[in-house]
Amino acid sequence: MLEIVLFLHGYATPGDPPDSAVAAAFASAGPAVEVYAPVGPQGPSRVDPFNPEGRASWFRYATDLTATVPQRPDLAELEDVHDSLFDYPFAGNRRGLIAEVEYLCSRADSRSVAIVGESQGGIMAAFLARAWSQIHPDAPLGALGLVRTAPDPSTWRDLRPVSGAGWPRGEGHLPGPLAQRVALVLGKADEVFRPYAALYAIGPIVDTQPAAVSSRVLPGVTHASHSDRVFETLAQMLVGAPDDGVSRHTEQ
């Protein structure tokens, strides 16, 4: 049973949706959870062509490829990803999101902890779950929730921390289990993360964890609309009754 949700906000949008809305969505699906929502790095280290004020973001962008056909991903600045995973100081002198998950797992069994991210936060959530599974293979997470997002191609490389150049290490390869359940919720009318591109991007998880993965494409939902419906759907997928061992993709 999930007890704690680590929620990672989207690009330059901390507090949207508020912690209370995420908690309410999970409460509508089952027992109440504690939502923990750290704010990403901000300031000069996060200034990019699309964020001149350096508002909070998990990493910088150098391109905007949302209008390409077929849609191609805007690649994460990997130095920033490393910083967010292992170096950035959060509350309580914890450095990086891996340390944040370690703290949450000290308060509850790892199987009771979910990582959830929306948009850029979902990209970061996939990076985080992948790194966690490599560093702590004996502490499986309860759930990974990806909302209106798609994993970055470098998610499948070796994300364990190293010093000096060459991070992440090696070529991409199929991942081991990232969580007991993985749910992807997309908007049919989302032009930032188009459903076909997002479904392709989670292919490595489906290939290795088919029974754990489910996805929903919600008609009429854009990248910013119907957040209550989106998160209520996600919560139902992560805390509802177990399925029959078959990965699911549906439109509702």
Side-chain angles (χ1 to χ4, degrees), residues 82-172:
H82 186 282
D83 177 53
S84 292
L85 286 175
F86 303 113
D87 293 333
Y88 184 74
F90 291 102
N93 296 319
R94 294 184 293 275
R95 300 194 70 87
L97 289 169
I98 289 289
E100 294 288 85
V101 180
E102 289 172 343
Y103 166 69
L104 298 178
C105 289
S106 74
R107 298 172 48 201
D109 184 271
S110 64
R111 294 172 179 82
S112 299
V113 176
I115 298 173
V116 172
E118 181 175 25
S119 192
Q120 191 194 63
I123 299 172
M124 198 68 225
F127 274 123
L128 176 56
R130 171 67 163 154
W132 179 267
S133 72
Q134 292 175 309
I135 298 167
H136 297 285
D138 297 325
L141 296 170
L144 171 63
L146 305 176
V147 179
R148 294 186 277 208
T149 192
D152 185 280
S154 288
T155 303
W156 318 120
R157 298 172 67 186
D158 189 341
L159 299 178
R160 286 171 289 191
V162 292
S163 59
W167 187 92
R169 294 175 288 184
E171 298 298 324

